[in-house]
């Protein structure tokens, strides 16, 4: 399933499986065109579901907007990843045409993923021919809403009468012990879990049993359960913080400190381990025991994490919406935003992440970093600087955020600012990772500080001798320093290590040009331009190669094209000169 089809994951299972719904295209009512997004097409997108059954005459609302126009606007917004607007349009269309199954199905899917769970629960598709993918999602929503209203016994009775079936059975299975506990049936809630299975579900169930045993003050049994969970590498990775907090609450702070230190020494990357270790060492207040609502939300989060790991990001988003409804938290929002983005819903994901507070600086920094990276994926490099700057301000020692900001600044030719970021507390002197050294070298090279750039790249290659990016960058630097043979040899090494890297292929073509191998350069640079048609430098280099093999008209075309690709002041001036005067008949090798 592609990301663009995400919002139709539930409804399309109904619409596309049934007979053709429309015998003719209904005529939009008055005002419908005004509802379209500014860039809307004629609505015939191949991603859109089938048109609903005929509406004649088409119902209109009190503003003169037709049901068909609302439906069309809603599905277009949804197809483009704008779940919020799509949900609003489809709700309005359904109010006008409650008998229309296609509108109901689309409204259910869009509102479920968009976060209006109350509405989605009311319009859950049912009946013959509705697949379990849809019905079970709706039942899960209803179940959680019943618990949210305080009727845990009703929710437990509903799931006993009819357990949640595939493909959402895992979420129902993880949720059931918490429903039992909330209903007061602790014997059932604490039923021992079978031996660990091949997936993570039993691992999460046993961790939840350990939490509930602690709630009941059965601490020895809880510790025994934690021992089983942490006896696996996956369990230790997932639940180290939980077990450390258990030790702190039991007053065993020295053991907790030792445990946290061991996890850090093992190379675990969870940013929360160091603050947890500091808290335990300073005898700070440990995290409180979960309450039952938080436990149920955690069970849904566990289902979401497993679904994301399997590539089912749309399921993860639904489960996390439900978890946030039960027990709002910034961590759930962070997971939800990331799930939406992984599913291709960049805008809704950013909107969710923007709601994360500054209460936990590490979570806030992670959210702002994700927002910035999402904007980069959407090509909004300038806009990405602001959230990335907030991420660095919130977590000045976080290397990921600092590196992301430095790269964006360098991409925008703000190289001096990029160097300032790379000289900050995230990269202590003498402990700069290769990725930061490469970014530093790019900035230094752009500022004509070639000797420092060369030193940075040589440091990368000392740590990672076959790093293709460093080989290519250093080779390019040597080409410009007229060390052509040495530079070309480095670039050839880079191309051998990573023949699929387009940037390396561009450098290889230029090294061939500098060696006077113009025919080879043409072939290599043509492939590079095909892969990166919007790269001004590669287009310029291909123009040079065309000129030297006598293809003058094509050379001028490439130079003219490079002028349209934001080449920068220096390259723009060079392109204009070449368009006016051309190049010497042949550049000597190394010239």
């Amino acid at each position: 399933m592609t990301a663009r089809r995400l919002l139709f994951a539930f409804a399309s299972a109904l619409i596309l499986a049934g007979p053709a719904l429309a015998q003719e295209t209904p005529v939009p009512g008055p005002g419908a065109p005004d509802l379209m997004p500014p860039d809307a097409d004629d609505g015939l997108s191949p991603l859109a579901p089938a048109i609903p059954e005929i509406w004649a005459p088409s119902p209109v609302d009190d503003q003169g907007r037709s049901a068909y126009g609302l439906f069309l606007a809603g599905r277009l917004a949804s197809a483009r990843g704008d779940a919020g607007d799509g949900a609003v349009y489809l709700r309005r269309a359904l109010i006008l045409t409650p008998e229309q199954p296609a509108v109901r199905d689309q409204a259910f899917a869009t509102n479920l993923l968009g976060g209006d769970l109350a509405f989605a629960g009311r319009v859950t598709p049912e009946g013959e021919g509705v697949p379990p993918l849809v019905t079970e999602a709706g039942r899960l929503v209803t179940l959680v809403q019943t618990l949210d209203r305080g009727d845990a016994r009703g929710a437990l009775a509903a799931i006993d009468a009819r357990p949640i079936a595939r493909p959402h059975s895992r979420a129902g299975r993880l949720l059931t012990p918490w429903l039992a506990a909330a209903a007061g049936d602790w014997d059932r809630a604490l039923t021992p879990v079978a031996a660990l299975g091949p997936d993570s579900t039993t691992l999460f169930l046993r961790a939840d049993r350990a939490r509930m045993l602690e709630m009941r003050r059965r601490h020895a049994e809880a510790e025994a359960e934690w021992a089983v969970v942490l006896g696996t590498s996956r369990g230790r990775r997932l639940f180290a913080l939980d077990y450390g907090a258990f030790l702190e609450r039991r007053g065993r702070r020295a053991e907790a400190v030792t445990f946290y230190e061991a996890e850090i020494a093992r190379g675990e990357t969870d940013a929360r381990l160091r603050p947890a270790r500091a808290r335990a060492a300073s005898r700070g207040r440990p995290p409180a025991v979960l309450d039952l609502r938080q436990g149920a939300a955690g069970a849904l989060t566990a289902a979401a994490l497993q679904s994301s790991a399997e590539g089912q990001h749309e399921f993860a988003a639904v489960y996390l919406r439900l978890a946030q409804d039960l027990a709002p938290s910034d961590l759930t929002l962070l997971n939800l935003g990331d799930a939406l983005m992984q599913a291709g819903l960049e805008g809704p994901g950013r909107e969710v992440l923007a709601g994360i507070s500054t209460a936990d600086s590490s979570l806030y920094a992670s959210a702002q970093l994700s927002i910035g990276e999402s904007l980069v994926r959407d090509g909004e490099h300038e806009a990405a600087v602001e959230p990335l700057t907030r991420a660095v301000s919130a977590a000045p020692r976080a290397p990921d955020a600092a590196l992301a900001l430095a790269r964006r600044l360098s991409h925008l030719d703000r190289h001096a600012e990029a160097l300032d970021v790379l000289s900050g507390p995230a990269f202590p002197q003498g402990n700069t990772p290769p990725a930061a050294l490469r970014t530093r070298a790019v900035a230094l090279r752009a500022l004509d500080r070639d000797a420092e750039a060369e030193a940075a790249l040589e440091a990368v290659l000392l740590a990672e001798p076959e790093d293709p990016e460093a080989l290519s960058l250093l080779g390019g630097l040597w080409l410009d320093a007229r060390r052509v043979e040495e530079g070309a040899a480095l670039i050839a090494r880079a191309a051998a290590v990573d023949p699929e890297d387009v940037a390396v292929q561009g450098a290889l073509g230029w090294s061939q040009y500098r060696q006077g191998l113009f025919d080879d350069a043409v072939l290599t640079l043509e492939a590079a331009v095909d892969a990166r048609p919007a790269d001004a430098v590669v287009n310029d280099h291909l123009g040079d190669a065309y000129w030297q093999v006598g293809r003058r008209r094509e050379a001028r075309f490439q130079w003219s094209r490079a002028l349209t690709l934001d080449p920068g002041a220096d390259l723009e001036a060079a392109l204009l000169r070449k368009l006016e005067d051309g190049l010497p008949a042949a550049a000597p090798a190394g010239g």
Side-chain angles (χ1 to χ4, degrees):
M1 182 185 301
T2 65
R4 282 296 191 187
R5 291 184 182 269
L6 172 64
L7 287 176
F8 304 111
F10 300 100
S12 63
L14 294 167
I15 298 169
L16 300 181
L21 295 177
Q23 304 303 315
E24 61 183 76
T25 302
V27 178
D34 295 336
L35 295 173
M36 297 300 177
D39 59 343
D41 58 19
D42 61 2
L44 302 178
S45 165
L47 301 179
I51 296 171
E53 295 181 16
I54 300 170
W55 299 329
S58 179
V60 296
D61 64 10
D62 57 1
Q63 299 179 46
R65 299 177 297 188
S66 74
Y68 175 65
L70 289 163
F71 174 77
L72 186 58
R75 72 180 190 178
L76 283 170
S78 300
R80 290 185 170 90
D82 191 344
D85 285 348
V88 171
Y89 287 134
L90 290 163
R91 283 200 299 271
R92 292 173 179 171
L94 188 60
I95 290 170
L96 294 173
T97 59
E99 78 288 350
Q100 292 292 332
V103 181
R104 177 204 60 196
D105 299 341
Q106 191 70 70
F108 169 77
T110 305
N111 282 274
L112 182 59
L113 286 165
D116 192 336
L117 302 177
F119 183 87
R122 289 198 301 273
V123 299
T124 300
E126 296 177 350
E128 186 178 352
V130 180
L133 172 72
V134 178
T135 58
E136 297 308 299
R139 291 188 60 240
L140 187 62
V141 171
T142 301
L143 197 72
V144 172
Q145 289 177 330
T146 302
L147 176 62
D148 197 24
R149 291 194 301 267
D151 186 8
R153 291 183 179 180
L156 185 62
I159 205 169
D160 283 344
R162 182 181 160 196
I164 300 293
R166 286 174 169 257
H168 304 293
S169 55
R170 178 166 51 199
R173 185 183 175 197
L174 288 164
L175 188 59
T176 298
W178 292 101
L179 294 179
D185 189 348
W186 281 99
D187 288 341
R188 179 174 177 183
L190 293 172
T191 300
V193 181
L196 298 179
D199 65 8
S200 300
T201 304
T202 51
L203 198 63
F204 282 106
L205 286 167
R206 297 198 74 149
D208 281 349
R209 185 170 187 268
R211 295 184 178 105
M212 285 189 275
L213 286 166
E214 184 183 6
M215 289 180 181
R216 305 300 285 173
R217 300 182 181 280
R218 292 162 62 174
H219 298 116
E221 294 171 81
E223 176 127 25
E225 200 70 73
W226 280 126
V228 174
V229 171
L230 270 66
T232 68
S233 59
R234 183 184 296 174
R236 199 173 183 97
R237 186 172 65 252
L238 289 170
F239 301 109
L241 280 167
D242 299 271
Y243 179 63
F246 169 77
L247 293 175
E248 290 183 69
R249 286 191 293 270
R250 299 298 300 138
R252 296 155 61 181
R253 290 187 174 85
E255 289 180 64
V257 170
T258 301
F259 178 76
Y260 290 136
E261 288 176 343
E263 294 305 295
I264 294 168
R266 287 174 61 243
E268 290 299 325
T269 57
D270 193 325
R272 297 170 294 171
L273 282 169
R274 292 183 186 278
R277 186 258 175 221
R279 178 188 65 227
S282 64
R283 305 182 68 82
R285 182 187 296 274
V289 178
L290 296 182
D291 62 32
L292 292 174
R293 291 174 68 90
Q294 290 170 329
L300 291 163
T301 300
L305 292 175
Q306 292 178 84
S307 294
S308 276
E310 295 164 359
Q312 297 286 351
H313 304 299
E314 66 276 18
F315 287 7
V318 170
Y319 302 153
L320 290 165
R321 291 281 191 197
L322 293 170
Q324 184 69 6
D325 198 48
L326 277 177
S329 80
D330 283 343
L331 181 57
T332 303
L333 286 179
L334 183 65
N335 288 326
L336 174 58
D338 285 344
L340 289 168
M341 288 177 179
Q342 287 180 68
L345 295 173
E346 299 284 353
R350 291 195 294 266
E351 185 177 348
V352 166
L353 294 175
I356 293 178
S357 73
T358 58
D360 184 319
S361 60
S362 64
L363 286 179
Y364 177 76
S366 294
Q368 294 300 313
L369 173 59
S370 291
I371 291 171
E373 291 174 333
S374 170
L375 289 167
V376 170
R377 287 192 293 272
D378 278 352
E380 299 183 41
H381 299 278
E382 190 76 51
V385 170
E386 185 175 346
L388 292 175
T389 300
R390 288 196 291 265
V392 171
S393 297
R397 297 185 182 278
D400 289 349
L403 182 56
L405 176 58
R407 283 174 169 164
R408 283 315 99 211
L409 292 169
S410 190
H411 178 86
L412 296 167
D413 293 331
R414 295 162 62 176
H415 302 291
E417 295 173 73
L419 290 176
D420 287 342
V421 173
L422 293 170
S423 300
F427 304 111
Q429 195 162 5
N431 191 29
T432 306
L437 287 169
R438 287 193 297 267
T439 304
R440 178 178 174 80
V442 170
L444 289 167
R445 180 82 192 282
L447 295 171
D448 295 324
R449 294 162 61 177
D450 287 357
E452 294 171 83
E454 184 173 354
L457 292 168
E458 287 175 340
V460 174
L461 293 173
L462 187 63
E464 300 178 0
E466 298 303 310
D467 182 288
E469 186 178 355
L471 288 168
S472 178
L473 289 170
L474 184 57
L477 192 154
W478 284 356
L479 285 180
D480 287 351
R482 297 182 181 272
R483 297 168 61 179
V484 174
E485 290 185 5
E486 296 169 276
L490 286 183
I491 294 170
R493 275 175 59 193
V497 172
D498 191 356
E500 302 300 319
D501 189 308
V502 179
V504 172
Q505 289 302 309
L508 178 63
W510 187 237
S511 73
Q512 291 166 338
Y513 179 93
R514 294 297 300 274
Q515 295 174 88
L517 305 173
F518 302 124
D519 290 323
D520 292 341
V522 165
L523 294 175
T524 305
L525 290 167
E526 281 179 337
V529 166
D530 286 344
R532 291 177 70 168
D535 190 310
V537 173
V538 179
N539 277 277
D540 169 47
H541 288 169
L542 178 57
D544 291 1
Y546 279 153
W547 184 275
Q548 301 296 5
V549 297
R551 296 163 64 175
R552 304 297 170 83
R553 180 177 298 178
E554 292 166 279
R556 292 186 186 279
F557 173 83
Q558 293 302 142
W559 293 332
S560 298
R561 175 169 173 74
L563 276 174
T564 70
L565 300 174
D566 192 21
D570 291 344
L571 180 54
E572 180 178 353
L575 288 165
L576 290 171
R577 285 196 301 271
K578 285 189 279 192
L579 284 167
E580 180 70 24
D581 302 326
L583 288 173

